[in-house]
Amino acid sequence: MIKRKIINNIVLALSTLSALIGLFFLFWILWTLVSKGLDAMSMKIFIYDTAPPGREESGLRNAIVGQLILVGVASAIGIPLGILAGTYLSEYGKNSKFANFIRDISDIMMSAPSIVIGAFVYAILVAPVGHFNGWAGAVALAIMMVPIVLRTTDDMLNLVPQQLREAAYALGAPKYKVIIQIVYRGAKVGVITGILLSIARIAGETAPLLFTSFNNNFFTTNLNEAMPSLTVTMFNFATSPYEDWINLGWAAAFILGVFVLSVNILGRLIIKKRKVK
Amino acid sequence: MQKIVDKSFEYLSKLSAILVLIVLVTIFWVLFEEAKPAIEAFGIDFLTNSKWAPNLEIFGGAPAIFGSVVSTFLAMIIATPIAIGIAIFLTEIAFEKLKTPIGTAIEMLAAIPSIIYGMWGLFYFAPIIREWFGGNGLGLLTAGIVLSIMILPFMAAITRDSMNTTPDILKESAYALGATKWDVIKDVVIPYAKAGIIGSIILALGRAIGETMAVTFVMGNVHKIPDSIVNAATSIPVTLANEFTEADGDLYYASLFYLALILFVISFVVIATAKFYFLRKVRKEI
């Protein structure tokens, strides 16, 4: 009897310790990110482009703009495709073998190594053209985004009550109108949250960009050229031996971290608010 | 008119769904096509040859495969017990009021981009390893630990979700018979959630083996099977990340694609096993 209690207490203590270890590292990493990042932040970051080490006028403007363009274009490709595919699964395919097969494939794609996707896009969009370009980076990110959006759309549309659809059919509405005007409307909040989270997820991806959009030390909005991004800049700068570049790397990490975490928190708040209702 | 729109909408959405399949098949096909020169030149020996000498046009994947396997293995050994501990803490021990904030905090850890783990590992963790274990701080041990921290929250979150599926009534019956918490965990919760827990561990394994940025910073990128886990090494993603843009010569390029193909096949098998064999019941967002 006493032995059981002792074992019980040991296990409970170990589990609590695990949770503390997890939290310890979370706070350590967050603390590093905030303290190093805030130290490196200044207005210069947003005004100047990346420059050779030792230069006073050096910032991240080109990388921030490049990142926004890449994520924006990736979203423009990935979100509609993901929503349409998810709509097909939820509204047309339902539980058919084919629909479930696509769900499985999409689940596998969701966890596929991002660097392999980068290599794939390199082979189809960079090698044939002969130079790195922004389109390739955006497509690589879009490939990662589609499965995430597909999954949320599928799940969220499923939550819309069947009766709403039936009511609309009874009024003589064709299926596409029912989907667009009734189902989408009912699932709006959930789908938008899923989209937000998918944007946060791809915004932090580096590996698919390394050899697609590559990097560029100049300001550019031309997707046919190599395009800088915060993540690739972070990688190049953090592994360099120059103190000022490393600091810029931390600033990039901070901007990225704040963006990703705040979008995640926002998504959570939206979900929570809906649940309360 | 409406009928045409109706049909086009259906076909458009069906096409988007099929596109997912097309992309997956195309990835396999393109990787294979690009890797072909290397597959023809080195065949299956590529997997066991440990010489990587771009100047001699000799390429062997063994160091990278070895590094991937060992760093992932280390990460799994470290992360699995801690993740299960966290899951037990969150489902059975923590007060109601603590569950949500701690659970959220751990999920936040999962949302941090992996490159930030890598950077933190390089500047804060590698020096500690250097001090404690010798070497220059970069290598399989550091990579394994940073990787374990990165997969920990992911693993803990799905393990918790599978443990949460245990019906309260089963647990309460056990408590009513005088079971301690540990008795309930080991004889009720874990047997009930076993498939989900194993699935989440394998899924985390799939993530870890394909993870690039968290390990690229701290691996050292040396194409040799190291004598010790504190020495610099490489892995498949690290080799790809570091050498892809420098690859000159068709065989070099093809060898990198060979590595990418191997990685894709491994992770495909691992993820498919986890998802379809173990996680069928616990279909949960992550």
Side-chain angles (χ1 to χ4, degrees):
Chain A
M1 189 61 207
I2 288 180
K3 199 176 141 210
R4 272 176 62 218
K5 279 203 170 140
I6 293 174
I7 293 178
N8 182 48
N9 288 337
I10 292 174
V11 173
L12 297 192
L14 283 177
S15 300
T16 313
L17 187 69
S18 312
L20 288 176
I21 292 175
L23 286 174
F24 169 73
F25 280 104
L26 172 68
F27 282 111
W28 189 4
I29 292 172
L30 279 183
W31 169 247
T32 310
L33 190 63
V34 170
S35 63
K36 278 287 188 182
L38 277 182
D39 272 356
M41 288 300 276
S42 69
M43 270 323 278
K44 282 202 303 191
I45 302 264
F46 300 100
I47 298 172
Y48 298 114
D49 294 338
T50 48
R55 195 80 64 81
E56 192 51 34
E57 289 91 28
S58 153
L60 293 166
R61 183 183 69 135
N62 54 339
I64 295 171
V65 173
Q67 178 93 43
L68 289 174
I69 295 174
L70 287 171
V71 172
V73 175
S75 306
I77 304 170
I79 294 172
L81 281 176
I83 291 185
L84 276 173
T87 307
Y88 177 79
L89 296 182
S90 157
E91 302 301 311
Y92 296 97
K94 299 197 176 90
N95 265 326
S96 68
K97 263 198 177 143
F98 172 72
N100 280 328
F101 178 62
I102 296 290
R103 284 188 184 103
D104 292 346
I105 295 289
S106 164
D107 275 0
I108 290 180
M109 286 293 292
M110 207 186 314
S111 304
S114 51
I115 191 133
V116 174
I117 292 174
F120 163 70
V121 174
Y122 176 89
I124 59 163
L125 288 178
V126 177
V129 190
H131 57 86
F132 299 108
N133 60 82
W135 287 111
V139 168
L141 293 181
I143 292 179
M144 307 206 55
M145 203 170 183
V146 169
I148 313 175
V149 178
L150 178 153
R151 160 69 82 83
T152 355
T153 310
D154 184 16
D155 287 350
M156 290 302 152
L157 299 194
N158 250 324
L159 292 179
V160 177
Q162 198 58 36
Q163 290 90 323
L164 282 182
R165 294 186 180 91
E166 282 160 7
Y169 285 132
L171 294 173
K175 189 154 186 172
Y176 82 96
K177 270 204 173 151
V178 175
I179 293 172
I180 293 171
Q181 298 189 347
I182 309 293
V183 184
Y184 281 172
R185 204 166 282 178
K188 199 167 64 186
V189 182
V191 173
I192 290 175
T193 313
I195 290 171
L196 278 180
L197 294 179
S198 74
I199 292 175
R201 170 92 184 269
I202 60 155
E205 281 292 342
T206 317
L209 299 180
L210 285 174
F211 25 83
T212 51
S213 57
F214 195 57
N215 205 352
N216 193 335
N217 280 325
F218 302 100
F219 183 88
T220 177
T221 54
N222 182 355
L223 284 159
N224 290 315
E225 293 175 11
M227 189 165 258
S229 58
L230 276 176
T231 46
V232 177
T233 304
M234 229 178 112
F235 180 53
N236 291 340
F237 280 14
T239 48
S240 79
Y242 313 108
E243 182 110 10
D244 53 340
W245 270 17
I246 293 174
N247 280 334
L248 276 178
W250 281 115
F254 180 73
I255 297 171
L256 203 65
V258 168
F259 173 75
V260 170
L261 287 180
S262 38
V263 172
N264 260 286
I265 293 170
L266 180 72
R268 249 162 237 286
L269 288 179
I270 297 176
I271 295 175
K272 206 171 167 191
K273 205 171 162 197
R274 211 172 49 136
K275 269 189 191 148
V276 173
K277 271 183 193 168
Chain B
M1 180 61 203
Q2 266 202 343
K3 260 204 172 136
I4 300 171
V5 181
D6 203 26
K7 274 287 157 204
S8 348
F9 187 78
E10 179 176 350
Y11 288 132
L12 199 63
S13 68
K14 188 165 188 178
L15 200 66
S16 312
I18 295 173
L19 197 65
V20 179
L21 176 64
I22 296 176
V23 169
L24 183 84
V25 174
T26 319
I27 292 179
F28 264 116
W29 180 67
V30 167
L31 292 180
F32 182 75
E33 281 294 318
E34 299 287 335
K36 229 177 190 170
I39 296 175
E40 278 161 5
F42 307 117
I44 201 82
D45 289 343
F46 185 79
L47 305 179
T48 49
N49 182 7
S50 62
K51 189 161 181 169
W52 183 271
N55 47 346
L56 302 174
E57 295 242 297
I58 296 174
F59 299 96
I65 297 169
F66 176 84
S68 281
V69 171
V70 174
S71 60
T72 308
F73 180 71
L74 284 172
M76 298 310 292
I77 301 190
I78 300 166
T80 307
I82 302 181
I84 293 179
I86 292 175
I88 292 178
F89 179 80
L90 286 177
T91 50
E92 309 299 327
I93 302 177
F95 304 111
E96 257 340 290
K97 272 193 180 157
L98 271 179
K99 272 183 190 171
T100 323
I102 295 183
T104 314
I106 298 226
E107 282 166 26
M108 284 289 141
L109 196 57
I112 295 179
S114 59
I115 188 170
I116 293 176
Y117 286 89
M119 202 168 162
W120 169 84
L122 175 65
F123 289 108
Y124 288 87
F125 206 67
I128 295 178
I129 297 289
R130 184 166 53 218
E131 205 151 289
W132 287 3
F133 299 97
N136 67 357
L138 304 180
L140 292 173
L141 181 64
T142 320
I145 297 175
V146 172
L147 205 48
S148 74
I149 300 171
M150 200 210 85
I151 55 172
L152 183 63
F154 174 73
M155 215 190 219
I158 22 186
T159 308
R160 175 200 61 185
D161 291 340
S162 13
M163 285 187 177
N164 265 339
T165 58
T166 317
D168 280 339
I169 193 151
L170 288 185
K171 292 195 250 173
E172 280 157 12
S173 322
Y175 283 127
L177 295 172
T180 60
K181 272 199 168 155
W182 171 236
D183 292 331
V184 172
I185 292 164
K186 106 178 127 62
D187 294 328
V188 179
V189 177
I190 289 183
Y192 191 88
K194 199 165 66 189
I197 296 171
I198 297 174
S200 71
I201 292 168
I202 302 178
L203 199 58
L205 175 83
R207 282 259 165 123
I209 204 155
E211 175 50 43
T212 310
M213 298 325 288
V215 291
T216 301
F217 283 96
V218 291
M219 195 63 107
N221 195 32
V222 172
H223 264 287
K224 226 174 67 177
I225 293 182
D227 310 326
S228 141
I229 54 169
V230 294
N231 289 348
T234 191
S235 74
I236 298 180
V238 171
T239 304
L240 291 175
N242 280 314
E243 298 182 29
F244 209 93
T245 50
E246 297 163 6
D248 43 5
D250 292 341
L251 207 52
Y252 195 170
Y253 181 72
S255 301
L256 290 174
F257 269 104
Y258 200 173
L259 283 177
L261 179 66
I262 294 170
L263 178 63
F264 196 52
V265 171
I266 297 176
S267 69
F268 185 93
V269 172
V270 170
I271 296 160
T273 314
K275 292 255 180 191
F276 310 138
Y277 195 72
F278 293 105
L279 290 177
R280 268 278 177 243
K281 274 198 294 186
V282 218
R283 200 167 187 275
K284 185 87 204 219
E285 183 66 35
I286 276 183

